[in-house]
Amino acid sequence: METVRFKHERGVTLIGAGPVENTQVSTITGMADTVYCADGGLANALFEPHAVIGDLDSATEKMPFYQSVNKVLIHDQDRTDFEKTLATVTAQYYLCVGFTGGRMDHHLAAFNTVAKNPDKSIFLIEKNEFAFLWCDEFGELCLNLGIESPIGIFPTTRAMGESRGLRWNIDGLELAPDGRIATSNETDADQVVIKITTGKVLVILPIGQLSNVLKTLF
C-alpha cells in the first residue's frame, strides 16, 4: 500500500497505543476532532479515525473500526509508528496522546521524536501535563499562565536563553540534558516570556494550560 499524505489547515489529534483513559482522549479530540491513529493506537480511538498509520503489526481485527478505517501501511523499521504518522500527516499542530506511559523506552522515544521535528508543532500529552518544543529559531514565547503555575524547561541539546516571570529565571545559564536543567520551576508573574538563544528545549506545563497555549500560539 502506498503512503498517503494528508493535509490539514488546523490541528489534528494523533493517538498512540500507550495507556490512556477514554476521558482524556475525549477531551483532546474535542480540541482537534480530526484523528489519526499510529498503528495499535486504534485500540484507544473513541470514533473512527481519518486513518491508521504504521507497519500495522499491532492493529488487529478485534479493535474498533478496524474493518472500515483507512489503513496506511508503511514498512520502515528505522522509524517508529509515531514518526511515520507525523511524516504522513501535515497539520498546523499535533495533539499527541497515548505515546508516553507504560514503558520507559516508549516515553523516551516520544520525546526524541518531538526533538527531531522542530518544524512541526507537536504537543506531547500525558494525563496531568504536556510538553512542546521551543528553540532559538522561534523568537519569544509569551504566555499568560497566572502566578504560581508549575513550569519545567528541559534541554534536548545544549541550550541558553533568557526569561521573565519565572521564580528561577534562566538568564546566563547553560542548560544541557547531561548537565544543568530547569525543571520544577514556577511562575511569579501572570505573564511568562521565554527566549531560547541557543539550542532546543522542551517546555512542560500542566494539562489545564493546554487550551490557553493553543489559543496563544495559533
Side-chain angles (χ1 to χ4, degrees):
M1 185 181 298
E2 293 182 359
T3 300
V4 178
R5 188 165 186 83
F6 304 95
K7 297 182 180 181
H8 302 276
E9 293 182 357
R10 296 294 295 167
V12 301
T13 294
L14 307 185
I15 302 179
V20 62
E21 297 178 0
N22 285 350
T23 53
Q24 184 183 15
V25 175
S26 178
T27 298
I28 300 308
T29 55
M31 297 180 183
D33 60 6
T34 299
V35 175
Y36 292 87
C37 293
D39 203 350
L42 187 62
N44 289 325
L46 300 182
F47 54 86
E48 184 167 325
H50 215 65
V52 57
I53 301 168
D55 56 18
L56 305 186
D57 62 345
S58 299
T60 70
E61 295 182 358
K62 296 181 179 180
M63 293 180 180
F65 319 111
Y66 180 86
Q67 297 298 336
S68 57
V69 71
N70 184 14
K71 303 175 186 66
V72 180
L73 177 62
I74 303 175
H75 291 295
D76 183 351
Q77 296 304 310
D78 293 327
R79 292 183 296 168
T80 65
D81 290 320
F82 187 16
E83 291 176 290
K84 295 170 190 175
T85 304
L86 286 167
T88 304
V89 180
T90 297
Q92 187 180 33
Y93 57 87
Y94 306 81
L95 304 184
C96 305
V97 62
F99 293 96
T100 60
R103 283 176 50 176
M104 188 177 292
D105 57 345
H106 287 174
H107 202 133
L108 292 171
F111 281 117
N112 177 259
T113 296
V114 174
K116 290 193 296 186
N117 289 275
D119 58 321
K120 296 179 181 291
S121 296
I122 303 170
F123 295 84
L124 195 61
I125 297 165
E126 293 194 343
K127 182 177 180 180
N128 298 315
E129 298 171 304
F130 69 98
F132 61 99
L133 193 73
W134 204 258
C135 70
D136 52 1
E137 300 177 3
F138 295 171
E140 288 188 340
L141 174 64
C142 302
L143 299 173
N144 292 311
L145 303 176
I147 298 176
E148 297 184 348
S149 172
I151 182 172
I153 300 173
F154 185 87
T156 63
T157 66
R158 291 195 176 276
M160 295 188 69
E162 54 194 47
S163 63
R164 299 191 302 276
L166 297 180
R167 184 170 300 278
W168 297 282
N169 284 305
I170 62 171
D171 303 52
L173 300 181
E174 183 177 359
L175 307 177
D178 61 348
R180 188 165 190 167
I181 59 176
T183 55
S184 301
N185 210 331
E186 64 180 29
T187 63
D188 68 358
D190 285 327
Q191 184 182 71
V192 170
V193 179
I194 299 171
K195 183 177 182 180
I196 300 303
T197 54
T198 303
K200 297 183 289 187
V201 303
L202 290 170
V203 179
I204 305 167
L205 292 170
I207 192 64
Q209 296 286 1
L210 179 58
S211 60
N212 175 29
V213 171
L214 293 177
K215 289 176 183 178
T216 300
L217 295 181
F218 305 102

